[in-house]
């Protein structure tokens, strides 16, 4: 059962407030992880979540998690490992349920408890200028300040175990010629 249209505007407002209190998303928007359209993508995400909930019944938390992870990865080039995605997903489902049950007073109380995001105390530092793939780590101190570090992952550099495997199998692999890999049969011809 979908919310009435007046309730949906309440849900849309709840989605907006929740996403605006999500520090990782706000950092991604503020620092343009989604490109020049980062702010528009964040607004679209509010609309997409609201529409998705209204057009589908029984959305589960894990589905919302998958959706948010996919959007963050594809639209903002961001993978979060701070366990905020499951919490945001849980809250979205809870807020929608409260909206459906017309418990707007309880919803407003919960929205008032959301943290206010201040990005002024946050800084982004780069460990390297020639980045391949970046990990963003958000650390929040007890005083409320946060540090965001951009760490380079050497994803193109094989690990030592990969190198050992490659050395063991290099004798089995035929040489590469002009970008083509030659595949030979392992059967011996008689």
């Amino acid at each position: 059962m979908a919310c009435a249209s007046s309730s949906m505007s309440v849900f849309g407002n709840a989605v907006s407030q929740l996403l605006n209190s999500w520090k990782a998303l706000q950092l991604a928007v503020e620092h343009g992880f989604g490109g020049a359209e980062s702010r528009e993508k964040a607004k679209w995400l509010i609309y997409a979540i609201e529409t998705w909930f209204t057009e589908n019944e029984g959305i589960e938390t894990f589905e919302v998690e998958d959706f948010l992870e996919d959007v963050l990865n594809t639209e903002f080039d961001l993978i979060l490992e701070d366990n905020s995605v499951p919490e945001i997903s849980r809250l979205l489902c809870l807020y929608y349920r409260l909206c459906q049950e017309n418990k707007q007073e309880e919803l407003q109380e919960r929205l008032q408890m959301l943290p206010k995001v201040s990005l002024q105390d946050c800084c982004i530092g780069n460990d390297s200028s020639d980045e391949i793939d970046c990990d963003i780590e958000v650390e929040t101190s007890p005083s409320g300040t946060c540090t965001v570090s951009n760490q380079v992952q050497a994803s193109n550099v094989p690990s030592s175990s990969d190198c050992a495997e490659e050395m063991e199998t290099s004798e089995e692999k035929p040489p590469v010629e002009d970008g083509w890999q030659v595949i030979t049969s392992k059967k011996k011809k008689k």
Side-chain angles (χ1 to χ4, degrees):
M1 175 176 154
C3 288
S5 61
S6 63
S7 297
M8 274 324 299
S9 64
V10 171
F11 180 65
N13 182 48
V15 172
S16 177
Q17 287 185 44
L18 179 61
L19 295 186
N20 287 330
S21 73
W22 191 5
K23 188 174 278 189
L25 176 62
Q26 294 309 309
L27 282 168
V29 170
E30 183 67 27
H31 294 284
F33 290 5
E37 303 85 25
S38 290
R39 293 195 191 289
E40 289 79 11
K41 289 178 180 182
K43 288 177 186 175
W44 166 84
L45 182 56
I46 295 166
Y47 169 78
I49 291 170
E50 182 179 9
T51 303
W52 185 36
F53 272 89
T54 59
E55 293 178 355
N56 297 283
E57 290 185 27
I59 295 175
E60 298 288 331
T61 304
F62 73 90
E63 294 172 304
V64 180
E65 283 181 50
D66 290 345
F67 172 74
L68 289 176
E69 287 173 348
D70 186 46
V71 168
L72 291 174
N73 188 18
T74 57
E75 299 298 329
F76 294 97
D77 198 21
L78 185 65
I79 297 174
L80 297 179
E81 296 177 354
D82 64 352
N83 293 324
S84 64
V85 173
E87 180 63 16
I88 296 295
S89 301
R90 184 188 68 76
L91 289 173
L92 285 169
C93 290
L94 172 66
Y95 294 171
Y96 186 72
R97 184 177 52 82
L98 291 173
C99 176
Q100 282 186 313
E101 295 170 358
N102 205 21
K103 295 183 177 178
Q104 294 181 14
E105 191 173 302
E106 182 180 346
L107 177 61
Q108 289 306 318
E109 289 173 10
R110 290 180 178 274
L111 290 173
Q112 289 174 355
M113 294 187 320
L114 289 173
K116 303 293 182 215
V117 173
S118 173
L119 302 179
Q120 294 174 342
D121 296 332
C122 297
C123 60
I124 291 188
N126 290 331
D127 291 342
S128 173
S129 59
D130 45 349
E131 299 167 354
I132 299 169
D133 201 6
C134 296
D135 267 347
I136 306 301
E137 290 184 20
V138 179
E139 297 176 21
T140 306
S141 70
S143 66
T145 61
C146 68
T147 304
V148 179
S149 59
N150 229 355
Q151 297 179 342
V152 176
Q153 291 181 342
S155 58
N156 294 343
V157 179
S159 67
S160 58
S161 63
D162 292 339
C163 292
E165 288 175 18
E166 191 171 318
M167 287 172 50
E168 291 173 5
T169 60
S170 64
E171 298 162 347
E172 299 171 7
K173 291 183 181 178
V176 176
E177 297 176 9
D178 298 327
W180 294 90
Q181 183 174 358
V182 178
I183 300 175
T184 59
S185 172
K186 291 201 178 222
K187 292 184 182 179
K188 292 185 180 180
K189 293 181 181 177
K190 295 182 183 180

